[in-house]
Amino acid sequence: METIEKVPYFVIDFDSTFTQVEALDELATISLAGNPNQQQIIQQIIDLTNLGMEGKGSFSENLVKRLALVKANRSHLPQLIDLLRSKVSKSVKRNKHFFRDYADQIYIVSSGFKEFILPIVTEFGIREDHVLANTFTFDKDDNIIGCDANNPLSQDKGKIKLMEKLGLTGDVHVIGDGYTDYEIRGAGLATKFYAFTENVSRAAVIAKADSIAPNFDEILFQEKLPMTISYPKNRIKVLLLENIHTDAQKLFSEEGYTVEVIASALEEDELIEKIKDVSIIGIRSKTTITAKVLEHAPKLLAIGAFCIGTNQIDLKAAQQKGVAVFNAPFSNTRSVVELAIGEIIMLYRRTLEKSMQMHTGKWDKSAKNSFEIRGKKLGLVGYGNIGSQLSVIAESLGMVVYYYDIVERLSLGNAKKCNSLKELLNIADVVSLHVDGRASNKGMFGAKEFDQMKQGSIFLNLARGPVTDLKALAQNIKSGKILGAGLDVYEYEPKNNDEEFINDVRGLPNVILTPHIGGSTEEAQSNIGNFVPNRITDYINNGTTLHSVNFPNIQLPELQEGHRFMHLHENQPGILAKINNLFAKHNINILAQYLKTNEQVGYVITDIAKIYDKEVLNELKEIPGTIRFRTLY
């Protein structure tokens, strides 16, 4: 059974370690509100704080100067305490159980003040008698006028003096962001010093550290203590390619992951080299993740396709490697729809052609071949997220909508379903493609389909480049059969902005060509930049696979007071029984269990009690048919 091993004493700083901020700096912001010199005074206090944290100058003199500048009153403390509650470091909050479970081994040793430290740390289960800090002195009007000068923590080398007096025996590990925290280790009163960098990173402190700790997850991982998560978040590396929106980088960074951004796509050989230590990769449409790439990605947990399509990813190979794939099926829908509507109007009015003539000085005021879209019949090939929304907006503009889809779809508004593609093409004045990039759709729209379209009709492809035969389209535009066309996607697209775009439809009249920008609006990219990271972090943190395109979809409740085992396996009979037989064999209590399968794989999630036989982990991994086994704490 799992036992609690003897752990060292942990001596933890408060300001910029337990909390994200320096409390005296924040107190000054409160106490100096309305003072015309507030910003200058606060900057002086911050400068003094930094000098002290870097081990420069006399600490005691520095503290006296800061308190004189703060000009605070006892009445300001409740507001400060409320602020500090909201500024507790994220990884401290995440690992609240650590402070509660090991309260006897934890000391808060701070040059800050008990008056605001105690209300914060005791809420995490830290013993009041283990909080060692300064105390304020007040005048008769409750103004803060200084601190207890007899307290060692108000003096130079104060933490050393206090630790000598405390006399802890055994291993002592110090966690802090300042030079005064290192001094405990430097004096031989601690066996290890962690430079805590989640909130602030000081070069002079890092240089003295035994280990750098970007968060408490890393500390607990190194100390082999129970964590809220199964792996330190700073060790989860994210690689974002192809100018993915900055919101994605921000979300992953705020989650605590290490993020690398590359503006361009990568070729297979480059990607193989880059992906070796990557846990999460984000791509758009130009990066291809092949089975060969996945063979060289032993740490990869998830792939984010920051677009709708996933045909650039070998989904089967990813599934067999236990790598979850998430995309953004809805986030750029509106942007693509608006582009389609705009192009239909411009093509019917020959706006682009007229504009180009004007730029050359030609005035051609004529209504020839210029039409309203009201009353025109719009034929949608594909009635998914984009097709159905285009249906609604087009109808609101007076168009009559028909659609054809191989999947049964609920029609919206007055849209009419066609029983065959030929039926739709015979009816429609405008044909707009909204199909996916599956292999069977390649070349689905060619000479035969153009022949079936009405004379003088409009053609749009804002879906996937390979579905349209552009040579056939070019011939039909030249013959006058197709009045105009709008294309946003092509079978071959330049890899970067420096490569020339070469295509059969270049230079043809009344043809709008755009460089795959259907979803390239600030709104869409921001939506995608938020949607995909949130799905991936839900999966990493909680095991939820909702919106995964290659795993069984299951939405899980938040893990409470236990451990979560996630077992992905080949979909074959008897595996759930084998899993539960192992739990029974090791006398493990199941708190909750969830199962979802698709044709290829099964996904079993089991929540168990905190105390369990660790040998079960190896046995679960050895069950025949296991693809990936992961734990969450």
Side-chain angles (χ1 to χ4, degrees):
M1 301 295 286
E2 182 181 48
T3 57
I4 296 179
E5 300 174 357
K6 179 66 176 175
V7 298
Y9 289 104
F10 292 98
V11 174
I12 304 172
D13 184 37
F14 181 76
D15 293 290
S16 295
T17 298
F18 201 94
T19 60
Q20 302 170 35
V21 294
E22 293 286 330
L24 281 185
D25 298 352
E26 300 302 321
L27 181 58
T29 301
I30 295 168
S31 64
L32 297 171
N35 187 317
N37 299 315
Q38 181 193 49
Q39 291 306 314
Q40 296 95 314
I41 297 171
I42 290 173
Q43 188 57 54
Q44 291 180 54
I45 295 169
I46 291 171
D47 292 342
L48 288 167
T49 299
N50 288 334
L51 286 173
M53 292 301 99
E54 293 169 5
K56 298 175 182 177
S58 166
F59 175 81
S60 60
E61 292 177 7
N62 182 303
L63 182 61
V64 169
K65 289 178 182 177
R66 282 191 287 159
L67 289 175
L69 288 167
V70 168
K71 299 185 185 304
N73 185 277
R74 192 191 299 273
S75 62
H76 294 127
L77 294 177
Q79 188 177 345
L80 173 64
I81 291 165
D82 286 343
L83 173 68
L84 293 177
R85 284 194 176 101
S86 70
K87 294 292 183 179
V88 173
S89 296
K90 290 181 180 180
S91 66
V92 169
K93 290 180 181 177
R94 195 159 56 234
N95 293 289
K96 191 171 184 176
H97 69 279
F98 163 71
F99 301 96
R100 181 188 64 235
D101 295 347
Y102 297 97
D104 291 343
Q105 302 299 116
I106 295 172
Y107 286 82
I108 299 294
V109 176
S110 172
S111 302
F113 291 81
K114 277 190 177 182
E115 285 85 352
F116 55 72
I117 295 175
L118 273 173
I120 306 302
V121 301
T122 52
E123 290 179 356
F124 284 75
I126 293 173
R127 289 169 45 175
E128 186 170 341
D129 61 329
H130 280 204
V131 178
L132 308 172
N134 282 301
T135 53
F136 289 122
T137 55
F138 301 88
D139 65 13
K140 60 182 179 60
D141 296 318
D142 279 340
N143 295 310
I144 295 172
I145 56 173
C147 60
D148 178 3
N150 295 319
N151 189 324
L153 290 169
S154 69
Q155 304 164 11
D156 292 342
K157 307 292 183 183
K159 289 188 178 182
I160 294 174
K161 295 173 184 176
L162 185 139
M163 291 300 296
E164 287 174 337
K165 184 178 179 182
L166 195 59
L168 298 177
T169 58
D171 286 341
V172 176
H173 294 178
V174 178
I175 303 166
D177 67 285
Y179 196 85
T180 57
D181 304 307
Y182 157 72
E183 285 181 329
I184 301 171
R185 170 78 165 105
L189 297 169
T191 50
K192 189 170 187 178
F193 169 56
Y194 286 99
F196 190 78
T197 61
E198 181 172 334
N199 305 309
V200 63
S201 180
R202 308 180 199 277
V205 178
I206 289 172
K208 298 291 186 180
D210 296 296
S211 184
I212 298 170
N215 46 51
F216 265 92
D217 307 321
E218 177 66 27
I219 294 168
L220 300 187
F221 183 77
Q222 290 192 32
E223 298 286 343
K224 296 182 172 58
L225 294 172
M227 300 164 58
T228 301
I229 57 175
S230 56
Y231 195 64
K233 293 194 174 190
N234 57 284
R235 295 191 177 206
I236 294 177
K237 184 174 179 180
V238 181
L239 177 63
L240 299 178
L241 306 177
E242 304 186 63
N243 277 323
I244 288 169
H245 197 275
T246 53
D247 282 359
Q249 181 182 354
K250 180 181 176 183
L251 286 169
F252 284 130
S253 296
E254 287 178 347
E255 193 64 29
Y257 302 155
T258 300
V259 183
E260 180 180 2
V261 176
I262 297 176
S264 63
L266 294 181
E267 297 291 348
E268 186 177 67
D269 290 345
E270 297 174 300
L271 194 53
I272 285 171
E273 188 60 34
K274 268 289 185 185
I275 207 169
K276 290 177 180 176
D277 60 348
V278 168
S279 301
I280 299 165
I281 185 168
I283 64 171
R284 293 175 74 181
S285 58
K286 293 188 184 302
T287 300
T288 301
I289 298 183
T290 62
K292 184 179 178 181
V293 169
L294 291 165
E295 285 293 334
H296 292 81
K299 295 184 178 180
L300 194 63
L301 294 172
I303 299 170
F306 285 73
C307 50
I308 296 175
T310 55
N311 53 300
Q312 72 278 37
I313 302 166
D314 190 329
L315 296 178
K316 184 176 180 181
Q319 187 183 75
Q320 290 170 344
K321 286 288 182 182
V323 178
V325 179
F326 298 87
N327 69 336
F330 320 111
S331 300
N332 67 358
T333 299
R334 178 70 183 200
S335 295
V336 177
V337 167
E338 287 190 5
L339 182 61
I341 289 291
E343 291 195 351
I344 293 169
I345 294 171
M346 286 195 294
L347 289 168
Y348 263 127
R349 298 297 299 272
R350 306 188 76 88
T351 307
L352 187 64
E353 184 180 325
K354 299 286 188 184
S355 176
M356 294 301 295
Q357 290 174 343
M358 291 287 286
H359 280 287
T360 63
K362 184 176 180 180
W363 182 273
D364 180 18
K365 181 172 167 50
S366 168
K368 184 179 179 182
N369 287 328
S370 183
F371 306 95
E372 293 182 354
I373 68 168
R374 181 173 49 177
K376 297 294 187 295
K377 299 179 180 68
L378 172 63
L380 300 170
V381 182
Y383 201 68
N385 297 321
I386 294 174
S388 57
Q389 188 168 147
L390 178 54
S391 167
V392 172
I393 294 177
E395 188 176 315
S396 72
L397 293 172
M399 299 189 80
V400 181
V401 180
Y402 296 83
Y403 71 92
Y404 170 72
D405 200 309
I406 59 173
V407 177
E408 190 65 34
R409 307 279 191 182
L410 175 67
S411 61
L412 302 179
N414 296 311
K416 302 173 181 65
K417 178 185 175 183
C418 293
N419 295 315
S420 68
L421 179 57
K422 181 180 179 181
E423 180 188 349
L424 180 137
L425 298 179
N426 290 164
I427 294 172
D429 300 307
V430 181
V431 173
S432 187
L433 305 188
H434 300 285
V435 298
D436 61 33
R438 69 186 72 183
S440 59
N441 281 341
K442 184 173 182 178
M444 65 161 283
F445 212 98
K448 175 186 172 184
E449 286 70 31
F450 285 116
D451 285 345
Q452 293 168 352
M453 289 176 63
K454 293 168 65 174
Q455 181 71 29
S457 53
I458 298 288
F459 175 80
L460 267 67
N461 182 13
L462 280 65
R464 298 290 182 271
V467 304
T468 303
D469 181 346
L470 292 188
K471 281 187 170 61
L473 173 60
Q475 290 171 1
N476 279 273
I477 292 171
K478 291 173 183 176
S479 71
K481 172 73 179 288
I482 302 300
L483 181 68
L487 301 174
D488 187 50
V489 290
Y490 314 88
E491 184 163 11
Y492 178 80
E493 298 179 358
K495 291 183 172 60
N496 55 56
N497 292 344
D498 296 325
E499 182 180 345
E500 184 182 359
F501 170 69
I502 299 173
N503 200 281
D504 292 303
V505 292
R506 269 180 52 177
L508 295 181
N510 207 30
V511 175
I512 298 175
L513 303 178
T514 49
H516 204 150
I517 57 167
S520 295
T521 61
E522 287 293 335
E523 294 88 348
Q525 293 307 306
S526 178
N527 289 339
I528 294 170
N530 282 269
F531 183 86
V532 176
N534 284 326
R535 301 294 74 73
I536 290 175
T537 52
D538 282 349
Y539 171 64
I540 300 294
N541 295 344
N542 199 37
T544 290
T545 55
L546 189 66
H547 296 295
S548 169
V549 296
N550 68 332
F551 276 26
N553 273 215
I554 184 167
Q555 188 165 17
L556 298 166
E558 186 177 343
L559 177 62
Q560 300 285 348
E561 297 298 321
H563 298 305
R564 175 164 288 172
F565 292 170
M566 294 169 290
H567 192 277
L568 183 75
H569 54 268
E570 296 172 4
N571 188 5
Q572 58 190 36
I575 289 188
L576 181 59
K578 291 174 183 176
I579 291 172
N580 287 338
N581 285 339
L582 283 177
F583 290 145
K585 170 186 169 183
H586 291 276
N587 198 33
I588 292 174
N589 183 35
I590 296 176
L591 303 178
Q593 193 167 57
Y594 316 87
L595 167 66
K596 194 75 177 287
T597 64
N598 61 26
E599 291 182 2
Q600 294 81 32
V601 298
Y603 186 44
V604 177
I605 303 93
T606 308
D607 292 349
I608 68 164
K610 279 189 173 182
I611 307 301
Y612 67 94
D613 185 346
K614 293 292 182 66
E615 180 56 31
V616 74
L617 301 178
N618 294 325
E619 294 183 25
L620 285 165
K621 294 174 186 177
E622 296 301 319
I623 293 175
T626 299
I627 296 173
R628 188 167 217 150
F629 175 75
R630 196 159 67 95
T631 59
L632 289 178
Y633 303 127

